[in-house]
Amino acid sequence: QITLKESGPTLVKPTQTLTLTCTFSGFSLSTSGVGVGWIRQPPGKALEWLALIYWDDDKRYSPSLKSRLTITKDTSKNQVVLTMTNMDPVDTATYYCAHVDTAQFDYWGQGTLVTVSS
Amino acid sequence: QTVVTQEPSLTVSPGGTVTLTCASSTGAVTSGYYPNWFQQKPGQAPRALIYSTSNKHSWTPARFSGSLLGGKAALTLSGVQPEDEAEYYCLLYYGAWVFGGGTKLTVL
């Protein structure tokens, strides 16, 4: 079965760079049509789509955050990494990764809460 | 900046029917926006319900259905159950993806 799990720091300081890793199993990121996306949710607020990487290394980013985001994949390790630069307290959120099959977001990780504070 | 708009809140009685909608600031929502719908309960990760407008996942209860309605994407719940009380989000594709602001559904 497909599972995904997010990992990374729970606390980062303002201006620092956040690096999150999504480790998955049950699928391969070399399969046509498959991707992994990142989504976040500030406490008590709505979901926000951040980035997505497909099997062919096609990368898509939220236009409002594009300058701060980088998404990469390591197919051999079954991992996708998201980096976000210049972190600010407003970036405090639960960060999720999700399996994407063409245009369907189906399986999600449990999420990881990242707090930005000095 | 593209904005996806959902009703902030809706209330439905148990056993009733309710339709949630998802509108795009760019105009009518079509199948080319590949609407996805998700359900989220407090403290839980979102759960996928619908993809590509009207397709259900294997775990999606039959009472949930997706469609296009009046230029919007729509999620209809028929025969609402108390456990359907949750936040519902739509997701549309514009080359990048954009979530709606969510609809808080109360079953009362």
Side-chain angles (χ1 to χ4, degrees), chain A residues 32-91:
Chain A
S32 178
V34 171
V36 171
W38 284 95
I39 303 97
R40 72 178 179 179
Q41 185 172 40
K45 296 189 177 182
L47 299 171
E48 180 181 17
W49 180 81
L50 300 176
L52 173 56
I53 188 165
Y54 284 105
W55 88 102
D56 60 355
D57 213 37
D58 181 15
K59 302 170 186 178
R60 306 295 175 98
Y61 295 102
S62 166
S64 62
L65 292 168
K66 185 174 183 176
S67 64
R68 298 174 53 204
L69 296 174
T70 302
I71 190 169
T72 60
K73 62 181 175 68
D74 187 328
T75 304
S76 64
K77 291 184 178 179
N78 282 354
Q79 291 181 332
V80 170
V81 174
L82 181 75
T83 61
M84 180 180 291
T85 61
N86 195 24
M87 293 292 284
D88 183 271
V90 300
D91 297 313

Side-chain angles (χ1 to χ4, degrees), chain A residues 39 41 45-50 52 54 60-64 96 100 102-111, chain B residues 1 34-36 38 40 44-48 51-52 57-59 89 91 93 95-102:
Chain A
I39 303 97
Q41 185 172 40
K45 296 189 177 182
L47 299 171
E48 180 181 17
W49 180 81
L50 300 176
L52 173 56
Y54 284 105
R60 306 295 175 98
Y61 295 102
S62 166
S64 62
Y96 298 98
V100 181
T102 310
Q104 55 175 306
F105 289 65
D106 42 20
Y107 298 92
W108 291 57
Q110 63 192 22
Chain B
Q1 174 97 355
Y34 303 102
N36 280 247
F38 305 89
Q40 188 180 32
Q44 296 183 15
R47 181 175 76 136
Y51 65 95
S52 295
H57 296 281
S58 59
W59 53 82
Y89 292 94
L91 177 65
Y93 178 68
W97 293 86
V98 180
F99 278 99

